Amino acid sequence: QYTRGTVTAFAPFDARADAEALRKAMKGLGTDEETVLTILTTRNNAQRQEIASAFKTLFGRDLVDDLKSELTGKFETLMVSLMRPAYIFDAHALKHAIKGAGTNEKVLTEILASRTPAEVQNIKQVYQQEYEADLEDKITGETSGHFQRLLVVLLQANRDPDVGVDEALVEQDAQVLFRAGELKWGTDEEKFITILGTRSISHLRRVFDKYMTISGFQIEETIDRETSGDLEKLLLAVVKCIRSVPAYLAETLYYSMKGAGTDDDTLIRVMVSRSEVDLLDIRQEFRKNFAKSLYQMIQKDTSGDYRKALLLLCGGDDD
């Protein structure tokens, strides 16, 4: 399958040799971090799983456990994230976002707004298999109000397929949104939830253009004015992802590093989950929208082995 990822299958690949090199790097006093990060960032996820299997066969040890005991901090988190099977990555992130006290709405928003219906179906299945729990039940137990309703709509993964655009319906939806927001005292959030959560991508892109013509505003401006809190963030994320998922994730990465302190969880999650999908497109959007490259921002904002590994995942500078 054609991807726009920065990480592809490594050739010539030898799982046994990699397993031996990793064992040697972590054995005895001190760890050779350079070897660990070079191997894990340059093999794709399927190859990393083969390495883990060879590691267990050769040494009777669990590679992830060894990484956890030999590495620390953000670097450890990044390496362990790279070892997580790709199909389980999003389910695991969601599980941790709704576990324990307090919910991480940011993670729910980012994943459910940016994944395709097929990906959402897959996440739900994996969640059920791995955690013996229903993802929708878990999410509705931890959220409320219109924010919860839009998440539930997205979890149904029933967006209309992209099969041509009906201009009459475009006009109708744009008018409905205009009346539900700008023209109304208070906002009819339900209309926004239904239309943004169920119509096809190409249809909605036309609706946004038409909305601009009718109201004189971008739909984002209306959402910004008419809603607030978690619902506002989720509606904006859905709109941005309909316009362009790579642009939305580029912005997510930018804000994870902008200003004081870095949101390392977000930085790691996006870099790892998109490294084999569309990180090249994300880099392009980043360069276009923020007047600097993703590579430069990571370089400036991180340090040590953590920085080295992220830069290898980034796969190059765009300046």
Side-chain angles (χ1 to χ4, degrees):
Q1 139 201 20
Y2 173 73
T3 75
R4 297 279 297 150
T6 51
V7 176
T8 51
F10 183 82
F13 172 63
D14 181 342
R16 252 186 114 97
D18 283 347
E20 282 165 356
L22 287 169
R23 176 72 185 123
K24 191 173 158 215
M26 293 189 283
K27 203 173 147 182
L29 274 176
T31 304
D32 169 9
E33 284 90 356
E34 191 84 27
T35 297
V36 174
L37 72 87
T38 304
I39 291 176
L40 296 187
T41 58
T42 54
R43 310 304 189 256
N44 70 10
N45 195 280
Q47 291 174 327
R48 291 179 211 127
Q49 304 313 319
E50 283 184 56
I51 295 168
S53 164
F55 196 87
K56 195 163 268 183
T57 301
L58 294 171
F59 311 114
R61 303 175 67 91
D62 185 291
L63 176 56
V64 173
D65 289 347
D66 278 13
L67 291 168
K68 285 178 176 169
S69 71
E70 293 296 324
L71 311 175
T72 55
K74 299 174 284 208
F75 180 54
E76 176 201 336
T77 307
L78 176 56
M79 293 298 109
V80 170
S81 298
L82 284 169
M83 289 307 303
R84 196 156 283 126
Y87 74 91
I88 201 179
F89 196 89
D90 286 340
H92 180 270
L94 289 169
K95 165 107 170 113
H96 282 264
I98 44 190
K99 188 177 126 187
T103 306
N104 189 336
E105 289 82 6
K106 186 194 255 175
V107 176
L108 300 184
T109 295
E110 176 200 306
I111 292 176
L112 293 175
S114 64
R115 302 312 189 245
T116 64
E119 286 166 341
V120 173
Q121 291 292 11
N122 179 51
I123 291 167
K124 290 197 297 190
Q125 257 170 322
V126 170
Y127 198 95
Q128 184 70 53
Q129 285 155 7
E130 293 292 321
Y131 308 119
E132 295 179 347
D134 182 79
L135 178 59
E136 189 183 313
D137 289 348
K138 289 287 176 198
I139 287 179
T140 49
E142 297 294 330
T143 55
S144 60
H146 293 294
F147 175 62
Q148 178 200 76
R149 284 179 211 162
L150 179 49
L151 287 172
V152 170
V153 169
L154 295 172
L155 279 167
Q156 302 318 300
N158 273 335
R159 194 176 283 292
D160 298 338
D162 267 314
V163 286
V165 173
D166 172 352
E167 288 300 331
L169 187 60
V170 166
E171 172 79 38
Q172 186 188 317
D173 279 352
Q175 292 285 357
V176 167
L177 290 172
F178 183 49
R179 287 197 295 272
E182 296 290 344
L183 278 188
K184 192 169 184 295
W185 182 252
T187 310
D188 185 350
E189 289 90 354
E190 210 145 272
K191 297 275 195 293
F192 278 83
I193 289 170
T194 303
I195 292 174
L196 294 178
T198 61
R199 299 286 199 248
S200 78
I201 302 291
S202 45
H203 172 83
L204 284 167
R205 285 177 183 160
R206 291 283 304 118
V207 169
F208 299 161
D209 294 343
K210 180 64 78 177
Y211 186 88
M212 179 73 193
T213 312
I214 295 170
S215 69
F217 299 112
Q218 293 287 10
I219 187 99
E220 289 92 333
E221 298 174 75
T222 297
I223 290 169
D224 202 26
R225 262 199 305 276
E226 299 288 329
T227 59
S228 62
D230 293 327
L231 174 67
E232 178 192 348
K233 290 184 188 124
L234 181 55
L235 284 168
L236 286 173
V238 169
V239 168
K240 286 169 183 174
C241 288
I242 283 157
R243 292 192 189 275
S244 161
V245 170
Y248 167 71
L249 292 170
E251 185 185 318
T252 303
L253 283 170
Y254 177 74
Y255 285 106
S256 75
M257 293 182 277
K258 188 183 181 289
T262 305
D263 174 357
D264 293 291
D265 286 343
T266 297
L267 179 55
I268 291 169
R269 187 175 56 252
V270 178
M271 292 296 288
V272 173
S273 67
R274 308 313 282 193
S275 61
E276 292 179 47
V277 183
D278 55 1
L279 196 50
L280 290 170
D281 295 331
I282 292 170
R283 268 172 41 186
Q284 222 174 335
E285 291 292 339
F286 198 100
R287 185 71 195 81
K288 191 173 87 190
N289 298 328
F290 303 110
K292 62 178 80 162
S293 69
L294 176 58
Y295 192 92
Q296 288 163 351
M297 196 149 182
I298 290 171
Q299 206 162 23
K300 193 178 109 301
D301 221 72
T302 58
S303 61
D305 295 314
Y306 176 55
R307 175 206 277 159
K308 276 183 203 163
L310 284 171
L311 291 175
L312 279 169
L313 277 183
C314 184
D317 199 344
D318 297 296
D319 254 14

